[in-house]
Amino acid sequence: MADTSRLTRAVDHFADRLRAAPQSRLQRGAAAEALGLARELARRTQLLEEPGTELREMPDAGMFAAADQITVAVHDLALVLTDEGQVEEALELVAQAQQRAGV
């Protein structure tokens, strides 16, 4: 099992920034970036847990739920990652999404 503590801390930091962001920032794309990240993390989890099954998409629960969605998605992913390369890839996704979100 891979050490995912850096990954969960990075997402927790991003989620905290989203929760502290003004509604206008969320509306200008920060929430959409977070949802995109949550969906990608959930997709990766599903590919590892259930290879060969039809992919499901995480629903859009609204801009105020985006922080919670990335938190849930990363904790699910952290349970199934098996090597440090996967952790590094996910960390890069988080960093890119947070930069695009501007928070």
Side-chain angles (χ1 to χ4, degrees):
M1 181 160 255
D3 179 8
T4 58
S5 59
R6 290 184 309 134
L7 176 59
T8 56
R9 280 194 312 269
V11 169
D12 288 345
H13 175 76
F14 186 13
D16 288 344
R17 301 288 304 205
L18 287 167
R19 289 182 187 106
Q23 183 175 345
S24 61
R25 172 76 46 98
L26 296 175
Q27 290 172 321
R28 285 193 311 266
E33 280 298 332
L35 177 60
L37 175 63
R39 285 178 170 168
E40 177 58 21
L41 297 175
R43 184 189 74 79
R44 288 172 182 244
T45 301
Q46 187 179 349
L47 288 172
L48 291 169
E49 281 187 321
E50 304 168 6
T53 63
E54 185 176 337
L55 292 174
R56 299 173 301 275
E57 183 174 71
M58 181 178 281
D60 183 347
M63 70 179 155
F64 297 114
D68 295 330
Q69 288 183 287
I70 63 171
T71 301
V72 168
V74 80
H75 286 281
D76 287 347
L77 181 61
L79 293 173
V80 298
L81 293 180
T82 57
D83 67 63
E84 294 304 316
Q86 294 170 321
V87 174
E88 291 301 321
E89 286 177 16
L91 275 167
E92 184 59 30
L93 290 174
V94 172
Q96 291 172 0
Q98 186 169 359
Q99 183 176 18
R100 286 190 302 267
V103 296

